Amino acid sequence: MIKRDFYLQQLISKRHSSKVKIITGLRRSGKSYLLSKIYKQYLLEQGVNEEQIIIVELDDEANDKLLRKGNLREYIEKIAPDNDKQYYIFIDEIQLAEDFVRAVNSLNKHDNYDIYITGSNSKFLSKDINDEFKDRGSEINVRPLSFSEFYEAYPKDKKYALSEYLRYGGMPGLFEEETDLAKERYLDNLMNKVYIDDIRKNINTTLVDELSATVDALCSVTGSLTNPLNMTNYLNSNRNIKINHETISKFFEGITDAFLFDKVKRYDIKRKQYLNTPMKFYCQDIGLRNVRINFREPNQGFLIENTVYNELITRGYRVDVGLLTFQKKNKDWKYVNTQNEVDFIARMSSKEYYIQIMNDIPSEKHLNNEYESLLKVPGSFKKIMVINRPTMYFTNDMGILVISLEDFLLKKDSLDL
């Protein structure tokens, strides 16, 4: 069993709350498995009887009659009739039922029903689904496997785990595929026949080739700044696709609503304000990104950047790209305005971390230049350099934690070492 302790703890914390638990996330990221296997097992271990756990899979042909308006509610009330008994209601693919929001809200009026729902098509994948339930829903967003989850379940020699994760990502279904070719085909099928189709339906567009090209372009420019106008010019120049930036904006919205990519804004550290454009996009699963660029990686740094971003989000941090503006002497010894980026600012409660990513520990000659962005950050916040090679973590003379990518991903307290 693949452990998903981060999400299990969220479910446990929301157990018996009056709100409907809405499990959202990228298709095939393990939402149904989380409920029907992991959470069910937890409940049984807590003394809940099997008959108290009601699992309804609406994508099962045997349940077609439950899809008609009113039938789902009547069915559940019939098999969970005891008002003095606690029931746990798991409904998978809820969006298939007619008027599903009303049906779920009606069921939630039963004080002894603890309701959990999942869905996976374009209608349910939208990040706005929680708004449909107003204040009656509580969302848990499930992402693909983090590296620590992948590592624990990895069946081969652990020394190959990171390289395989960086190539194929963390979709749980990969563990059912034995060969490299099978894994590549699995990921390619998800992108072409599942995600792009979901996005197309969600935004109601017939421009399938243009949408597909936009997804490809985002995979190619992951970690680079972009906006709808830049993307329009990029597609025109590189793919000879004529499209306006308003349509690209619509594509961007659909792509992020389907949880395929996250949009990340830049934050001006000194001015303490957000910059609306340009922004960066990171794929929620690096394997899906890699398959769209045929596993060619011209810039290893962007791959690592995407991996670190996903780890921070999975741990529950709010993440921005940092921007620093300061004066620096040029080759003529004149002061000029200079802009540097801090790869990520990670925030949670009162904690704040500044993170930079590098391929190797900088040499003595380039030491100050490589650490410049972190050193220019005002205040005493924790500063971290993630290195893409094996090394023992240490804090250098400038107070910066230097840690390998693998340690950063595997150690749950890696930001506070």
Side-chain angles (χ1 to χ4, degrees), residues 26 71 73 102 118 137 153 218 227 285 363 372 417:
L26 187 66
N71 287 2
R73 177 185 57 79
R102 188 178 180 186
T118 74
L218 286 179
N227 60 27
D285 182 79
S363 64
E372 184 174 50
L417 291 173

Side-chain angles (χ1 to χ4, degrees), residues 225-227 230 264-266 275-280:
L225 293 170
T226 190
N227 60 27
N230 289 345
V264 185
K265 289 184 178 181
R266 289 189 300 165
L275 307 174
N276 289 325
T277 186
M279 71 285 288
K280 292 188 177 186

